[in-house]
Amino acid sequence: MTGPSPTDREERSLETARRQLGSYAVPVDRTDRVPLSVAVGRVLAEDATAAEAVPEADIAVDDAVFERGRQLGPADLGLLKAAGRNELHVRQRPQVGIVPTGDELVQREAADGERVETAGFTLAQYADRWGAKVTYRDVVADDAPALRAAVQRDLTRDAVALTGTEPGDALREVVADLGDLIAERVAITPGHETGLAVVEDRPLLLLPESPVAARVGAVQLLRPLLKAFGGAPLSSHPTADATLTEDVATAAARRAFVPVSHEQGTATPLSATDLGPATRADGWVTVPEGTEAVAAGERVAVEDWDYLP
């Protein structure tokens, strides 16, 4: 049962939340040797040198084609194939546990009063594309012993993300007992109920039940965290300029992220915070703190959050 929390006032700005989570993200030092064919998205653990010369690219034998720390793209693999590389020494992907919580959630075939779990499942797909090795768990009931066991089970991972939580609930109490509840809230919307915690030096991201809010919290906090663990660059999302078709009102104390449909140079805000807008959004408009409204007709930058390097 949700009740008042003594730390409700402990809100963090987005920058502070990123910094606090990131302070626990030591780049993974575990490594693998993998075939070239499955190396896309992986981060080099050592320089990738040429076994064969590639005259058209001005590459000689033993030249460094790519240096340690590079995150490999599809075109990179083509050049490495031309340079005679069949396998590469790469960092292991950071491991993340995705744990959905909620009494009314089921994995599939929802009965009356139940809902199929989607927030954690969707998050697992994103985390995989962001470079993580993902363990997606079955739904855990809002029961303190079950929640405690679920958190402790995934402390072998580099990070844990739990969905379906809010300030004052049983999960927050369990986490505070096991470790340190850093923040009850983050100054973003949607996703104001997002929390941060650390248990046994493992960062935990506590995400709300709403699929839209969970997605915002994951893109803004989990993605940078996983990139830091993986030693990979945090690239900016591509943007497109557009004209806003409707007014957008926001809370000035929080950074707002507005899902929009983007068509023929216009951006139309999508209402509500349920599964539909998260799926239909062509992009997202960021409204900085200190701004109470953005008027129709203003030019905005639409970020493509489905760009996943």
Side-chain angles (χ1 to χ4, degrees):
M1 179 180 296
T2 300
S5 169
T7 56
D8 270 356
R9 293 189 298 274
E10 293 186 11
E11 179 174 294
R12 299 291 186 268
S13 69
L14 181 56
E15 287 77 9
T16 298
R18 284 176 177 163
R19 186 170 60 252
Q20 289 183 302
L21 279 181
S23 67
Y24 293 90
V26 178
V28 172
D29 60 4
R30 305 180 300 270
T31 61
D32 289 317
R33 289 199 176 273
V34 300
L36 187 67
S37 59
V38 298
V40 68
R42 305 297 291 270
V43 176
L44 288 172
E46 63 184 14
D47 292 351
T49 57
E52 300 176 9
V54 188
E56 61 270 30
D58 196 25
I59 294 173
V61 174
D62 293 332
D63 280 355
V65 182
F66 297 112
E67 295 182 350
R68 174 184 178 182
R70 183 179 180 89
Q71 186 174 26
L72 297 167
D76 297 340
L77 302 190
L79 182 56
L80 287 165
K81 185 174 187 294
R85 294 300 301 261
N86 297 314
E87 67 174 21
L88 298 169
H89 190 203
V90 298
R91 287 183 181 151
Q92 285 190 8
R93 295 184 294 169
Q95 299 180 19
V96 59
I98 307 293
V99 185
T101 71
D103 288 335
E104 75 287 359
L105 299 179
V106 294
Q107 294 299 128
R108 57 188 63 84
E109 298 180 0
D112 289 345
E114 296 178 335
R115 290 182 294 107
V116 173
E117 197 286 312
T118 60
F121 177 78
T122 303
L123 175 55
Q125 314 315 306
Y126 274 97
D128 177 80
R129 294 291 300 276
W130 291 335
K133 184 176 181 179
V134 179
T135 302
Y136 170 61
R137 300 294 189 180
D138 286 342
V139 175
V140 179
D142 289 327
D143 168 76
L147 293 168
R148 175 182 289 267
V151 170
Q152 291 176 319
R153 172 185 57 191
D154 277 344
L155 292 178
T156 56
R157 273 63 184 172
D158 297 301
V160 185
L162 302 105
T163 62
T165 178
E166 62 182 40
D169 67 4
L171 178 58
R172 296 293 218 277
E173 294 177 3
V174 165
V175 168
D177 184 55
L178 289 173
D180 183 14
L181 183 59
I182 298 173
E184 284 275 24
R185 302 176 186 273
V186 177
I188 55 176
T189 186
H192 188 218
E193 301 86 359
T194 297
L196 313 176
V198 174
V199 177
E200 296 182 12
D201 290 329
R202 293 293 188 271
L204 275 64
L205 182 59
L206 312 177
L207 293 166
E209 177 182 0
S210 156
V212 174
R215 185 176 179 186
V216 169
V219 169
Q220 298 302 320
L221 291 166
L222 184 61
R223 179 175 179 260
L225 180 66
L226 295 177
K227 293 295 185 182
F229 269 123
L234 180 64
S235 55
S236 299
H237 293 109
T239 62
D241 289 336
T243 300
L244 199 63
T245 62
E246 301 173 11
D247 294 345
V248 171
T250 63
R254 305 173 198 160
R255 187 175 306 181
F257 300 94
V258 182
V260 298
S261 61
H262 181 215
E263 185 177 11
Q264 297 180 342
T266 63
T268 301
L270 300 174
S271 60
T273 58
D274 57 14
L275 183 60
T279 303
R280 294 195 303 268
D282 298 315
W284 298 73
V285 172
T286 301
V287 182
E289 299 91 332
T291 302
E292 294 185 352
V294 182
E298 290 197 28
R299 298 292 288 176
V300 294
V302 179
E303 296 182 347
D304 179 6
W305 285 7
D306 283 330
Y307 171 81
L308 296 174

